[in-house]
C-alpha cells in the first residue's frame, strides 16, 4: 500500500560538512567512509491505530540517519537498501564497501544506501528510552520507515529522482533485518520492488533450545561431549539440592557470590552462547571471511578438550567425582542431538524462558501508555506468514550451519518447499553460517566455492528481476 496519508518531501539531506562518500584514490575500498545524511522520519506511521494514538508522543518526526554509495551508479540503475537491523548505520559500512551491496551495485550499476533502524545508533525519536517511548519500536513501524524513506529519499549529488516506485528499490537484510526485509516486501510490495532475506527468522517461538542443535552437531565432538557431561553433572547437583557442592563448583570460576543458579549457568555458558545473553564470539560469529569472523569458539573448545592440560587443571575434573560415582566430570559420553531440556545440553536446564523474561520485566517497568506483556507476543510477528511466508520477488537464502536456521525459511520444521522460481527464489548454502552471503572480498571469483556460487545466484536473481521492472511498473500504475 502506498503511504498516502503521509505528506511528501519531509527530507532533510543534511551532512556534517564532508562529502557523502570518500572516493579518494588513495583510500582502499574496504576503508571507505560515508558521510551522514538525515531524513525526517515519522514517529508514528499509523495515525488511525489506537495502539499508538493512545500515546501523546505519537506525533511529529525524528532525524533518521542514512549513508549511501554511488560509486557504481549509472542513470536507470536500481537502489539497494541495506536494512541495518539492531545496530548503528556505520557498523554496516562493510556491506557497501565490499559486501553484498557492493557486489550487486557493481553488477547492475546500482546505488547502495544504509538506513539506520529507529532507536539504534543516533536515530532516536526521543532523548531517552522509557517503556512509553519504546511504544514505537515495532516491526510495523520499522517496515513502514523503509517504504516511506524509499518514497521520499534524496541523494545529494544525484540529479535524478530515485524514489520508489519509479525506481526499482531492492532490499537486503540479514538476521532480524532479513525478517524486516521480508515483511517490508510483503506489506509494501507496491512500493518496494524486491528483496533478499538472509538468515531471516520468519517464525519465532518463546523458547528456542534448537539454537544449540547446530553446535551440538557440527562442533568438535570431543569438546561437545565434555560440555554435555559438565552440564549434566551440574544439573544433577541442583536436582539433589547439594547446595554446598554447587557453591564449591561456582568457586572454581570465582562466581560463588552468585546466589541465583541461573545467573551462574548463563555466565559460564558465555563462550558457547545463549540467544539472550552472551558477550563472547560464539558459533554465530564464525565466518568464512576472516576479516569479520572470530575463532574464539574453537579456542574455547580446544581448551575444554586439551589432552595436555597442566595437572592443576585436570585435577579439577576429579573434585566432584564423589557425586558421580567416582567418574571424572569431563569424561561422560554425550549422545547426538536432543532438546536441551531432555537430552545432551550445552546450557544448564535451570536457564529457562522465565529467567530471560524476568530481565525484560526488570528493565522495562510499565508506563502510562505502554507495558511489556508477561510473555512475548509472538503472534504479532508470526502473523506475517511464519513458515508459510511468501511474497513476489522475495528471495530467501540461508546457511545450513546457522544456529538460527530452524526459525528460517529452510528450517527442519518448515513444510515441504516447492521448487525455487524467479518470482519466489530460495537458496540454502551448504556449510554456511549466519547470513554469510552478506560478506565479500571485492572478487567474487576468488571467494570459496560455496559463497561464490551463492553470490552468483544472487546476481542472476536480481538481474532477472530488473528485466521485469518496467512491466511491473506499468501493471502497478493505478488508472
Amino acid at each position: 500500500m502506498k503511504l498516502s496519508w503521509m505528506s511528501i518531501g519531509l527530507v532533510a539531506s543534511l551532512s556534517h560538512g564532508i562529502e557523502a562518500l570518500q572516493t579518494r584514490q588513495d583510500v582502499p575500498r574496504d576503508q571507505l567512509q560515508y558521510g551522514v545524511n538525515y531524513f525526517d522520519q515519522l514517529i508514528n506511521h499509523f495515525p488511525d491505530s489506537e495502539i499508538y494514538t493512545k500515546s501523546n508522543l505519537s506525533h511529529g518526526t525524528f532525524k533518521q540517519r542514512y549513508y549511501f554509495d554511488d560509486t557504481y551508479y549509472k542513470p536507470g540503475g536500481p537502489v539497494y537498501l541495506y536494512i541495518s537491523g539492531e545496530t548503528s548505520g556505520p557498523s554496516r559500512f562493510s556491506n557497501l564497501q565490499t559486501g553484498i551491496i557492493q557486489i550487486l551495485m557493481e553488477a547492475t550499476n546500482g546505488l547502495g544506501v544504509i538506513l539506520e533502524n529507529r532507536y539504534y545508533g543516533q536515530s532516536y525519536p526521543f532523548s531517552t528510552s522509557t517503556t512509553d517511548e519504546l511504544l514505537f519500536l515495532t516491526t510495523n513501524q520499522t517496515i513502514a520507515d523503509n517504504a516511506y524513506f524509499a518514497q521520499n529519499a534524496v541523494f545529494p549529488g544525484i540529479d535524478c529522482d530515485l524514489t520508489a516506485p519509479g525506481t526499482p528499490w531492492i532490499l537486503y537484510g540479514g538476521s532480524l533485518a532479513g525478517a524486516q526485509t521480508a515483511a517490508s516486501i510483503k506489506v509494501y510490495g507496491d512500493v518496494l520492488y524486491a528483496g533478499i532475506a538472509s538468515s531471516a527468522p520468519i517464525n519465532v517461538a518463546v523458547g528456542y533450545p534448537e539454537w544449540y542443535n547446530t553446535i551440538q552437531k557440527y562442533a568438535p565432538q570431543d569438546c561437545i561431549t565434555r560440555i554435555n557431561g559438565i552440564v549434566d553433572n551440574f544439573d544433577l547437583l541442583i536436582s539433589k539440592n547439594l547446595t554446598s557442592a554447587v557453591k564449591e563448583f561456582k568457586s572454581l570460576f570465582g562466581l560463588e557470590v552468585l546466589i541465583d543458579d541461573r545467573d551462574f549457568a548463563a555466565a559460564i555458558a558465555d563462550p558457547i552462547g545463549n540467544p539472550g545473553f552472551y558477550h563472547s564470539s560464539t558459533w554465530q560469529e564464525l565466518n568464512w571471511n576472516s576479516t569479520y569472523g572470530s575463532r574464539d569458539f574453537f579456542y574455547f573448545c580446544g581448551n575444554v578438550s586439551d589432552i595436555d592440560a597442566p595437572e592443576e587443571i585436570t585435577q579439577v575434573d576429579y573434585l566432584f567425582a564423589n557425586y558421580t560415582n567416582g567418574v571424572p566430570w569431563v569424561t561422560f559420553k554425550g549422545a547426538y542431538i536432543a532438546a536441551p531440556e531432555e537430552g545432551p545440553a550445552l546450557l544448564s536446564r535451570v536457564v529457562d524462558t522465565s529467567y530471560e523474561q524476568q530481565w525484560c520485566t526488570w528493565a522495562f517497568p510499565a508506563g502510562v501508555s505502554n507495558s511489556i506483556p508477561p510473555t512475548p507476543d509472538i503472534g504479532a510477528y508470526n502473523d506475517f506468514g511464519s513458515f508459510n511466508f511468501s511474497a513476489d520477488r522475495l528471495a530467501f537464502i540461508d546457511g545450513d550451519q546457522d544456529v538460527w536456521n530452524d526459525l528460517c525459511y529452510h528450517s527442519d520444521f518448515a513444510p515441504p518447499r516447492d521448487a525455487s522460481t524467479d518470482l519466489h527464489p530460495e537458496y540454502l548454502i551448504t556449510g554456511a553460517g549466519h547470513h554469510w552471503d552478506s560478506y565479500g572480498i571485492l572478487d567474487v571469483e576468488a571467494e570459496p566455492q560455496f559463497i561464490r556460487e551463492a553470490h552468483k545466484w544472487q546476481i542472476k536473481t536480481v538481474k532477472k528481476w530488473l528485466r521485469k521492472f518496467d512491466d511491473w511498473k506499468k501493471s502497478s500504475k493505478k488508472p
Side-chain angles (χ1 to χ4, degrees), residues 263-431:
D263 290 339
F264 171 74
I268 65 171
D270 191 80
I272 304 167
N274 170 1
F277 305 91
Y278 67 91
H279 305 284
S280 303
S281 293
T282 68
W283 185 273
Q284 181 175 322
E285 283 69 48
L286 298 178
N287 200 296
W288 68 270
N289 188 328
S290 60
T291 301
Y292 305 104
S294 169
R295 297 186 62 191
D296 286 359
F297 178 87
F298 291 114
Y299 296 143
F300 164 74
C301 253
N303 288 332
V304 170
S305 57
D306 186 3
I307 62 174
D308 296 316
E311 183 177 356
E312 63 267 24
I313 299 298
T314 58
Q315 285 304 308
V316 172
D317 302 339
Y318 294 88
L319 288 178
F320 300 94
N322 58 309
Y323 298 106
T324 52
N325 297 320
V327 180
W329 271 37
V330 297
T331 59
F332 270 24
K333 293 182 178 179
Y336 172 66
I337 293 192
E341 294 90 340
E342 300 174 1
L346 298 174
L347 175 71
S348 172
R349 298 163 187 86
V350 299
V351 178
D352 56 15
T353 55
S354 66
Y355 174 68
E356 300 193 20
Q357 177 68 34
Q358 77 175 11
W359 291 96
C360 290
T361 304
W362 291 341
F364 305 108
V368 175
S369 56
N370 190 32
S371 62
I372 64 169
T375 189
D377 180 11
I378 61 175
Y381 190 92
N382 289 337
D383 284 348
F384 285 104
S386 187
F387 286 135
N388 295 311
F389 206 117
S390 180
D392 290 350
R393 294 171 303 280
L394 173 62
F396 287 106
I397 184 167
D398 299 315
D400 70 347
Q401 293 187 22
D402 179 10
V403 288
W404 294 105
N405 193 47
D406 271 335
L407 298 181
C408 299
Y409 183 86
H410 292 95
S411 168
D412 289 338
F413 304 116
R417 299 302 187 187
D418 296 329
S420 177
T421 65
D422 293 345
L423 202 58
H424 304 109
E426 54 91 2
Y427 194 104
L428 180 64
I429 311 175
T430 301

Side-chain angles (χ1 to χ4, degrees), residues 55-110:
S55 169
N56 60 5
L57 303 172
S58 64
H59 305 289
T61 62
F62 68 96
K63 299 296 183 183
Q64 189 168 28
R65 299 197 300 181
Y66 68 101
Y67 307 82
F68 71 93
D69 184 333
D70 62 356
T71 302
Y72 303 99
Y73 179 73
K74 292 181 181 179
V79 174
Y80 294 102
L81 175 58
Y82 185 88
I83 308 302
S84 63
E86 64 277 36
T87 189
S88 68
S91 298
R92 301 300 195 186
F93 279 0
S94 64
N95 292 278
L96 295 181
Q97 295 163 338
T98 63
I100 184 60
I101 302 299
Q102 182 275 327
I103 291 170
L104 296 175
M105 287 191 297
E106 184 177 30
T108 61
N109 300 319

Side-chain angles (χ1 to χ4, degrees), residues 127-144:
S127 58
T128 56
S129 297
T130 66
T131 303
D132 281 335
E133 290 167 339
L134 291 172
L135 174 66
F136 307 95
L137 179 58
T138 65
T139 299
N140 286 327
Q141 295 284 1
T142 298
I143 65 175

